[in-house]
Amino acid sequence: MLRTQTSLSTWSQERSMKWLVLLGLAAFSECIVKIPLRRVKTMRNTISGKNILNSFLKEHTYKLSQISFRGSNLTTHPLRNIRDMQYMGNITIGTPPQEFQVVFDTGSSELWVASDFCTSRVCATHVKFRHRQSSTFRPTNKTFRISYGSGRVKAVVVHDTVRIGDLVSTDQPFGITVKENWLEGRNYDGILGLNYPNISISGAIPIFDKLKNEGAISEPVFAFYLSKDDREGSVVMFGGVDHRYYEGELNWVPLIEAADWVVHMDRITMRRKVIACSDGCEAVVDTGTSAIEGPEKLVKKIQKLIGATPRRSKYYVSCSAVNTLPSIIFTINGINYPVPGRAYILKDSRGRCFTAFLENKVSSSTETWILGDVFLRLYFSVFDRGNDRIGLARAV
């Protein structure tokens, strides 16, 4: 869920952290924690030239078998698939534990949930954190505001015990909302950010970093498998990679900067013609975004090419034509990642078919695309903080 605007009240930013990793089989003796999912920026300078990418990969090579885990020491926690639009998993906060459904979001770094302090109408429809019922709760006087593409929140920074499956972070800083404003209703109780610490608006150390610092996670790696068509089985896994969720080898792509999950994309093509990203562009790999978002002019061009008709905020096509729509190919680091028509078409509550290409309203001098769940349902994704790169492979 890519943030669009941010501001900080009273807490200074934490320093960005670097992980020094020895990538060998012995180093991955800890368990992988798999959390079942339920589906419900600052722009960087573009890396140009394949030589830079290839040199990086040659210097940082290791095979999947070195970070894979076939053993039985896997802790799983389900994610719920909501109409192919959102993937949510359960976490607990406090002592005794209070359960919340959150989106695991690589586009932000904050963890927040609704609270008793929130008087906004949307908060009344979700589980709220009741701080008085937790014996491990610790307040602060720090606040922050964060805006997403679909809404914004104001929150107070507090501390308490947070659990993700068997992973436990004591005295974890997070936000409890006091005000929320969303364009549409939300299905989740909060967001758990998995981006870099320097992206944190509140200045709080992200939970992934805190767990790694405390030795709860064997290696600074997490990965996503997102199911299709409302099926169960989606997971986010921490500490390694389970190779059974993808086919072939992982293709590794270095980040443009070791500070955000943004990579260089070569081009976007359809029917062998370049339709966007003609001179290379940036791609944000974002598990918190349901669609594929791009610059307004180019998204409208794609909608026209596939024969979509605008209706309010969406572009619709005939459901009978879905299987005949052309594939749109995203080329990243020389590898083609096709997204067929049946994958980029969704259905609304009335059963009508609309495209999953949305216009990104964030203005930037750099052409930027957001690859959300529509893309990630097709491709298993690995987020490697140890080597500042993303791995992609066709999902099973």
Side-chain angles (χ1 to χ4, degrees):
M1 188 171 295
L2 191 68
R3 1 171 220 84
T4 56
Q5 298 176 352
T6 55
S7 63
L8 174 64
S9 287
T10 58
W11 205 5
S12 61
Q13 297 277 345
E14 294 280 344
R15 295 280 185 182
S16 180
M17 295 182 177
K18 287 278 188 180
W19 299 116
L20 299 176
V21 178
L22 296 175
L23 294 168
L25 184 60
F28 288 85
S29 58
E30 303 287 333
C31 356
I32 302 171
V33 177
K34 294 195 297 183
I35 308 299
L37 296 174
R38 291 177 287 177
R39 189 179 340 174
V40 276
K41 254 178 193 251
T42 301
M43 304 307 174
R44 312 300 180 190
N45 295 327
T46 301
I47 294 178
S48 59
K50 293 182 180 178
N51 290 336
I52 297 176
L53 302 178
N54 292 335
S55 297
F56 180 97
L57 293 176
K58 286 179 181 178
E59 293 173 4
H60 298 81
T61 56
Y62 62 87
K63 295 189 179 297
L64 179 62
S65 59
Q66 291 179 292
I67 62 171
S68 288
F69 227 16
R70 299 178 184 237
S72 59
N73 295 326
L74 298 179
T75 302
T76 62
H77 188 79
L79 296 178
R80 180 184 175 195
N81 179 343
I82 304 296
R83 293 188 307 170
D84 285 352
M85 296 295 290
Q86 290 171 341
Y87 295 82
M88 302 181 298
N90 293 341
I91 66 170
T92 67
I93 302 175
T95 307
Q98 301 175 39
E99 189 172 68
F100 301 89
Q101 292 187 107
V102 299
V103 173
F104 289 79
D105 177 25
T106 59
S108 65
S109 297
E110 312 302 327
L111 166 60
W112 61 261
V113 295
S115 78
D116 279 344
F117 295 114
C118 183
T119 57
S120 301
R121 181 182 303 176
V122 66
C123 291
T125 63
H126 295 282
V127 177
K128 295 189 287 186
F129 179 63
R130 304 184 185 281
H131 65 283
R132 293 184 181 89
Q133 296 180 8
S134 176
S135 62
T136 46
F137 173 80
R138 184 166 67 87
T140 76
N141 61 355
K142 306 171 181 103
T143 64
F144 68 95
R145 300 173 187 265
I146 183 167
S147 294
Y148 303 92
S150 56
R152 60 184 182 271
V153 302
K154 177 182 179 181
V156 177
V157 177
V158 299
H159 294 245
D160 212 327
T161 299
V162 179
R163 296 173 177 84
I164 309 173
D166 289 340
L167 297 173
V168 181
S169 176
T170 58
D171 201 39
Q172 171 66 44
F174 66 100
I176 54 174
T177 63
V178 296
K179 187 175 182 181
E180 299 186 26
N181 188 354
W182 298 91
L183 299 178
E184 297 179 0
R186 57 178 174 84
N187 297 311
Y188 46 89
D189 303 316
I191 291 176
L192 190 151
L194 290 169
N195 211 328
Y196 279 70
N198 62 289
I199 300 298
S200 174
I201 302 309
S202 68
I205 181 171
I207 189 169
F208 180 80
D209 291 78
K210 190 166 183 295
L211 289 168
K212 180 61 183 70
N213 292 348
E214 295 172 351
I217 296 175
S218 58
E219 293 297 334
V221 175
F222 59 90
F224 281 85
Y225 172 79
L226 303 182
S227 65
K228 308 174 184 68
D229 304 321
D230 294 333
R231 288 180 293 180
E232 296 300 319
S234 301
V235 295
V236 55
M237 53 192 75
F238 294 96
V241 178
D242 188 333
H243 67 93
R244 293 170 294 182
Y245 286 91
Y246 67 91
E247 300 173 348
E249 295 292 325
L250 283 168
N251 300 307
W252 294 103
V253 188
L255 302 182
I256 290 177
E257 184 177 350
D260 206 348
W261 297 117
V262 182
V263 299
H264 175 77
M265 185 158 61
D266 304 334
R267 59 191 170 273
I268 302 174
T269 58
M270 185 177 73
R271 296 190 176 110
R272 300 183 180 180
K273 293 183 179 180
V274 177
I275 59 173
C277 191
S278 56
D279 297 319
C281 58
E282 294 180 350
V284 183
V285 185
D286 186 359
T287 61
T289 297
S290 60
I292 295 175
E293 298 185 11
E296 180 178 3
K297 182 179 179 180
L298 295 173
V299 169
K300 286 183 176 179
K301 176 182 177 181
I302 291 175
Q303 307 286 18
K304 184 177 180 180
L305 288 171
I306 62 179
T309 303
R311 189 179 304 169
R312 293 185 179 179
S313 60
K314 294 184 175 70
Y315 283 78
Y316 287 84
V317 298
S318 170
C319 291
S320 61
V322 168
N323 290 329
T324 65
L325 293 175
S327 293
I328 296 177
I329 299 172
F330 299 81
T331 303
I332 303 172
N333 194 29
I335 304 296
N336 292 334
Y337 297 93
V339 179
R342 63 182 180 276
Y344 61 74
I345 298 298
L346 302 173
K347 286 189 176 182
D348 63 17
S349 59
R350 297 174 61 182
R352 298 174 299 182
C353 293
F354 66 95
T355 77
F357 288 95
L358 298 180
E359 300 161 9
N360 186 356
K361 302 299 184 180
V362 180
S363 60
S364 171
S365 58
T366 303
E367 181 182 341
T368 302
W369 290 80
I370 302 174
L371 303 181
D373 297 342
V374 167
F375 180 86
L376 296 172
R377 275 195 290 277
L378 299 173
Y379 300 101
F380 179 82
S381 54
V382 182
F383 297 80
D384 182 358
R385 281 282 301 278
N387 287 282
D388 301 312
R389 61 185 182 174
I390 294 175
L392 295 170
R394 184 173 290 279
V396 296

